[in-house]
């Protein structure tokens, strides 16, 4: 996803609002997951998020999402956020987010997610890392539910 940062998206310093970036991350992540599952989805979790550099009004904000691993009824997606200066083309990664979506049917029941084709060494590594994150995430969920 690519869009121009407009004044309406920004704080008084002229930088995009963190909440706006989070909103776009949720949408970019959902698009990749919808394309994989072709089901209804809800966001179950967003891992901790850092804003490494500001993105200023007039810059482009670019979001790239990829499904990293699928589980049973849930899947993880990675969303990388970049700023791009329109005049120079200079691009910097400003955030990396991992989100978990759960596939649901029209009654809110869980739906099994189709398998992910994992072919390359890099895809295998990414999926293994996602599994490790999932374990930590589910541990944090237990704490959050306490
Ligand atoms: C997310 C939600 C559907 C999970 O429901 P639940 O009854 O607790 O689900 P289950 O325990 O059966 O888990 C279903 C799957 O979600 C995963 N999951 C649930 N909560 C999770 C979390 N916090 N982090 C990561 N995965 C999670 C489970 O591991 C399971 O995955 P699997 O089938 O691949 O093994 C439910 O908590 C919910 O509806 N939350 C609100 C979602 C929402 O409103 N999002 C914002 C708007 S879209």
């Amino acid at each position: 996803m690519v869009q121009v940062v407009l004044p309406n998206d920004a704080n008084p310093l002229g930088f995009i609002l963190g909440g706006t970036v989070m909103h776009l991350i949720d949408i970019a992540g959902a698009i990749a997951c919808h394309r994989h599952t072709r089901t209804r989805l809800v966001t179950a979790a967003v891992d901790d998020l850092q804003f490494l550099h500001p993105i200023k009004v007039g810059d482009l904000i670019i979001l790239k999402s990829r499904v990293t691993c699928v589980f049973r009824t849930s899947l993880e997606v990675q969303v990388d956020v970049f700023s791009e200066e329109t005049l120079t083309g200079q691009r910097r990664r400003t955030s990396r987010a991992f989100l978990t979506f759960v596939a649901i049917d029209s009654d809110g029941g869980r739906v099994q997610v189709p398998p992910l084709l994992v072919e390359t060494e890099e895809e295998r590594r990414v999926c293994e890392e996602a599994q490790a994150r999932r374990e930590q995430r589910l541990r944090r969920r237990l704490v959050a539910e306490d």
Side-chain angles (χ1 to χ4, degrees):
M1 282 169 50
V2 183
Q3 67 182 60
V4 183
V5 177
L6 295 173
N8 207 31
D9 305 317
N11 65 19
L13 300 171
F15 301 138
I16 193 169
L17 291 162
T20 304
V21 177
M22 290 192 264
H23 174 71
L24 294 173
I25 286 173
D26 194 24
I27 291 175
I31 289 172
C33 292
H34 276 303
R35 284 173 143 175
H36 180 74
T37 63
R38 301 293 175 194
T39 65
R40 294 172 175 81
L41 295 167
V42 290
T43 316
V46 183
D47 292 5
D48 63 337
L49 190 58
Q50 311 225 358
F51 301 100
L52 303 173
H53 309 285
I55 309 179
K56 56 184 192 305
V57 168
D59 286 350
L60 301 181
I61 176 167
I62 300 167
L63 298 102
K64 292 188 178 185
S65 58
R66 74 186 282 200
V67 173
T68 53
C69 204
V70 306
F71 309 111
R72 205 179 67 78
T73 66
S74 65
L75 68 170
E76 187 196 73
V77 62
Q78 174 179 335
V79 183
D80 283 345
V81 184
F82 302 87
S83 63
E84 184 181 300
E85 285 189 9
T86 40
L87 297 185
T88 62
Q90 191 194 18
R91 192 179 280 200
R92 287 208 288 189
R93 184 166 63 79
T94 60
S95 297
R96 169 165 293 163
F98 295 98
L99 296 84
T100 305
F101 286 85
V102 178
I104 57 168
D105 62 24
S106 53
D107 300 321
R110 309 286 167 268
V111 177
Q112 198 158 335
V113 173
L116 183 70
L117 210 53
V118 177
E119 289 178 320
T120 67
E121 212 31 63
E122 193 259 351
E123 287 169 347
R124 250 185 294 283
R125 178 184 55 76
V126 164
C127 189
E128 280 168 16
E129 289 172 1
Q131 280 162 359
R133 278 189 297 272
R134 168 185 154 89
E135 282 169 25
Q136 292 184 6
R137 201 176 285 134
L138 292 179
R139 272 199 290 274
R140 286 201 299 273
R141 179 194 181 199
L142 289 177
V143 174
E145 280 176 337
D146 236 7

